[in-house]
Amino acid sequence: GENVEQHPSTLSVQEGDSAVIKCTYSDSASNYFPWYKQELGKRPQLIIDIRSNVGEKKDQRIAVTLNKTAKHFSLHITETQPEDSAVYFCAARLSGYSTLSFGKGTMLLVSP
Amino acid sequence: KAGVTQTPRYLIKTRGQQVTLSCSPISGHRSVSWYQQTPGQGLQFLFEYFSETQRNKGNFPGRFSGRQFSNSRSEMNVSTLELGDSALYLCASSLGGTGGDLDGYTFGSGTRLTVV
């Protein structure tokens, strides 16, 4: 199956700074890469996703970039706010399958 | 539309017992995937059910099993519980497409299982 590595495991930033979380995947046949945000005590929620035929996607303060050659994708959060504090998970899906393989998560702490 | 419903929210069991967890997906979704979430290990895939059939399976022992009913509701069962089975068990609902209709998961709130 697909193997997804995620870094860093923890990330502390000051409010207003940018945050970047990086993931790598092992199988070049993966074609779908979602990102989930899980606040303390809550369920993971999809915040943005990207398909393999696209290099970048933006949604307000968040963006995801995909480098298929290097098999890595990144989440970028600009102008961070305390409410961005959460655990973020990246995931990848192999073409022809419906199962998502997740990274181990990044705990983002945004200090006021 | 109603979200993904998992019951119960919390369970406390003793070692050796067995437990059954339930997940009702979003109406129209045919795929239910189960994940175990523990600190430091992230989300580990247990299995996926699609149209009442197990379609994919992760690397968990045979003590972990599941099934899906005709209305797409799914149950997972863990027999002979061990202390290490203490975790948050999440189910995820999706259309289950494997072709061009890529879609993400919608997670339930999870069942917090504590084995003592």
Side-chain angles (χ1 to χ4, degrees):
Chain A
E2 176 62 279
N3 183 45
V4 179
E5 299 283 338
Q6 183 171 349
H7 301 280
S9 56
T10 58
L11 179 60
S12 294
V13 300
Q14 292 290 114
E15 183 177 1
D17 289 348
S18 295
V20 180
I21 302 170
K22 299 181 179 181
C23 290
T24 60
Y25 59 99
S26 59
D27 198 319
S28 58
S30 290
N31 63 356
Y32 176 65
F33 308 92
W35 286 86
Y36 289 81
K37 175 184 180 182
Q38 186 177 30
E39 297 177 20
L40 189 62
K42 296 190 176 181
R43 71 188 76 190
Q45 292 194 299
L46 177 69
I47 56 172
I48 195 168
D49 57 13
I50 192 167
R51 285 149 174 78
S52 59
N53 59 350
V54 175
E56 183 176 5
K57 184 177 179 180
K58 291 183 179 179
D59 184 3
Q60 300 183 330
R61 294 186 298 108
I62 61 173
V64 57
T65 59
L66 172 64
N67 183 327
K68 287 192 295 183
T69 303
K71 290 188 285 187
H72 68 70
F73 56 112
S74 301
L75 178 71
H76 305 254
I77 306 174
T78 58
E79 300 173 23
T80 54
Q81 301 166 3
E83 51 264 39
D84 294 329
S85 296
V87 178
Y88 292 80
F89 292 96
C90 63
R93 173 181 287 157
L94 278 171
S95 176
Y97 290 85
S98 60
T99 301
L100 288 175
S101 297
F102 286 86
K104 292 192 174 182
T106 296
M107 181 177 290
L108 174 64
L109 177 61
V110 181
S111 303
Chain B
K1 56 183 178 183
V4 182
T5 303
Q6 286 191 249
T7 57
R9 290 295 306 275
Y10 302 94
L11 268 177
I12 300 176
K13 293 285 188 177
T14 57
R15 279 181 296 174
Q17 286 188 310
Q18 67 92 26
V19 67
T20 300
L21 314 180
S22 178
C23 173
S24 292
I26 290 171
S27 178
H29 283 190
R30 296 163 65 190
S31 171
V32 174
S33 298
W34 289 89
Y35 287 82
Q36 181 192 68
Q37 184 174 25
T38 54
Q41 291 301 311
L43 294 158
Q44 294 186 288
F45 174 67
L46 283 153
F47 30 66
E48 181 212 4
Y49 284 86
F50 181 82
S51 293
E52 301 180 64
T53 301
Q54 187 181 87
R55 187 160 65 172
N56 289 303
K57 188 177 187 302
N59 297 320
F60 277 80
R63 301 185 296 108
F64 292 81
S65 63
R67 58 178 175 170
Q68 187 179 35
F69 302 94
S70 58
N71 62 357
S72 293
R73 188 178 72 86
S74 177
E75 290 181 345
M76 68 163 279
N77 184 78
V78 188
S79 62
T80 319
L81 284 166
E82 301 177 359
L83 296 178
D85 296 333
S86 294
L88 179 67
Y89 290 88
L90 291 162
C91 78
S93 165
S94 73
L95 293 168
T98 58
D101 53 336
L102 300 171
D103 70 310
Y105 288 166
T106 300
F107 281 93
S109 295
T111 294
R112 173 75 63 183
L113 172 64
T114 302
V115 182
V116 297

